[in-house]
Amino acid sequence: MAALLQPQPETIRHVADLLLAGEIVALPTETVYGLAADATNASAVEKIYAAKNRPPSNPLIIHCNNLDMVDEYAYTNVPLFEILSKKFWPGPLTIVLPRKSGLADTVTAGLDSVAVRLPQQPVMQKVIEAVGRPLAAPSANPSGYVSPTTAQHVIDSLGDNISAILDGGSCACGLESTIVMLTSSGRPRILRPGPVRMNELERVTGCQFDSLEIRNTPDDAQRAPGMLTTHYQPRARLLLWQGDASDIKPSTANDALIYFAERPPNAGTFNVVNHLGGGLLEQAERELYATLREMDALGVETIYMEVPRDTYSPALLDRINRASSGWA
Ligand code: TXA
Ligand code: MG
């Protein structure tokens, strides 16, 4: 079982030494907890894929703590890089850039690009600084399951497979970073919606961004590895609804109703009822994964979840849609 460590200077040094010795550890970021390894060490990176049971075709994000480190491993002389990195780093924005050599090949799953981010979470920044190398880190969950937003979530679903977890409290965003791909020609593209919204990206750059619509073709798989629809799923069946909840009846005593709107729906017959984020958008983003995990812990069989209406959170809609994909 992994040791749960509080972030003090000694434990940060200890975790940095584990990473330099090729171990994998779970670390807090402002988006979700990550499962980190030294991105230059192929056998350490291999351990991430094994612990998560992650398909080898799904590349990892590298986490740096300054632009010099980014420059060492990626070409940053692409349009919009400077403006985006100045405005949104450190923070929940990942930028896909042409890669240089020096990273383990498995980090990028053999692609000639690399996804980079400078996280804002201070504990994470201190660990990267102490290691002095980029950390490859996907979300610290078994592949396909809901991402972790607390240290306890990591222990619950991955605790047996890793050596340590550094506790940084609850993640401030609660959803994974926005991923943008910058190329030397053509429009920049959002590969995954996240906390940095498209309108902010467009306002800051004065450019239009394309957003990727996943259709699950082999072509999509190549352009956006790891973004195919079945992802982020709780064990419970997740069914979506909109409008009036009064027709929805639980089929077992273990079913749950999650609603988002201000008005409480007619939910008399459900034993488990949850008002996601108190109806507040950013709070709902922060709480979505914790709520889905809580439903699984309660043994809920079917979650009837309201799709937030009239809200500008493509990230929230994206995660809810993926979590429910595959269920009628
Ligand atoms: O917020 C986050 O981004 C969290 C924290 C830990 O930083 N990390 C995260 O990693 O969500 P992960 O592995 O769950 O998702 C990374 C995704 C991949 O699934 C893939 O879609 C995309 O990043 N990706 C990575 N490298 C890429 C590349 N070279 N080209 C296109 N997409 C890439
Ligand atoms: Mg993930």
Side-chain angles (χ1 to χ4, degrees), residues 31 54 58-59 61 63 113 115 117 138-139 176-177 179 192 225:
T31 57
R54 182 178 176 102
N58 189 359
I61 295 172
H63 299 69
S113 58
R117 141 170 142 78
S139 50
E176 299 86 348
S177 61
I179 305 180
R192 177 174 72 185

Side-chain angles (χ1 to χ4, degrees), residues 199-266:
N199 61 350
E200 293 177 71
L201 292 166
E202 295 189 332
R203 184 176 51 78
V204 164
T205 59
C207 285
Q208 283 195 308
F209 279 65
D210 281 339
S211 64
L212 184 77
E213 283 180 31
I214 302 288
R215 292 176 306 274
N216 283 312
T217 65
D219 214 32
D220 291 335
Q222 227 176 15
R223 266 187 306 159
M227 290 302 294
L228 302 186
T229 48
T230 49
H231 232 309
Y232 317 106
Q233 298 201 317
R235 277 187 297 278
R237 196 157 74 112
L238 184 72
L239 302 180
L240 305 182
W241 60 275
Q242 213 166 31
D244 181 10
S246 59
D247 289 347
I248 302 172
K249 301 276 181 293
S251 44
T252 77
N254 284 335
D255 289 353
L257 185 78
I258 298 182
Y259 73 102
F260 182 80
E262 244 168 72
R263 44 157 187 85
N266 179 359

Side-chain angles (χ1 to χ4, degrees), residues 239-299:
L239 302 180
L240 305 182
W241 60 275
Q242 213 166 31
D244 181 10
S246 59
D247 289 347
I248 302 172
K249 301 276 181 293
S251 44
T252 77
N254 284 335
D255 289 353
L257 185 78
I258 298 182
Y259 73 102
F260 182 80
E262 244 168 72
R263 44 157 187 85
N266 179 359
T269 48
F270 282 90
N271 288 328
V272 181
V273 178
N274 180 287
H275 188 197
L276 184 64
L280 301 172
L281 189 61
E282 288 191 356
Q283 191 72 11
E285 292 182 348
R286 246 191 313 275
E287 288 175 8
L288 174 70
Y289 288 153
T291 302
L292 295 179
R293 281 175 174 262
E294 194 185 312
M295 299 290 143
D296 277 349
L298 288 170

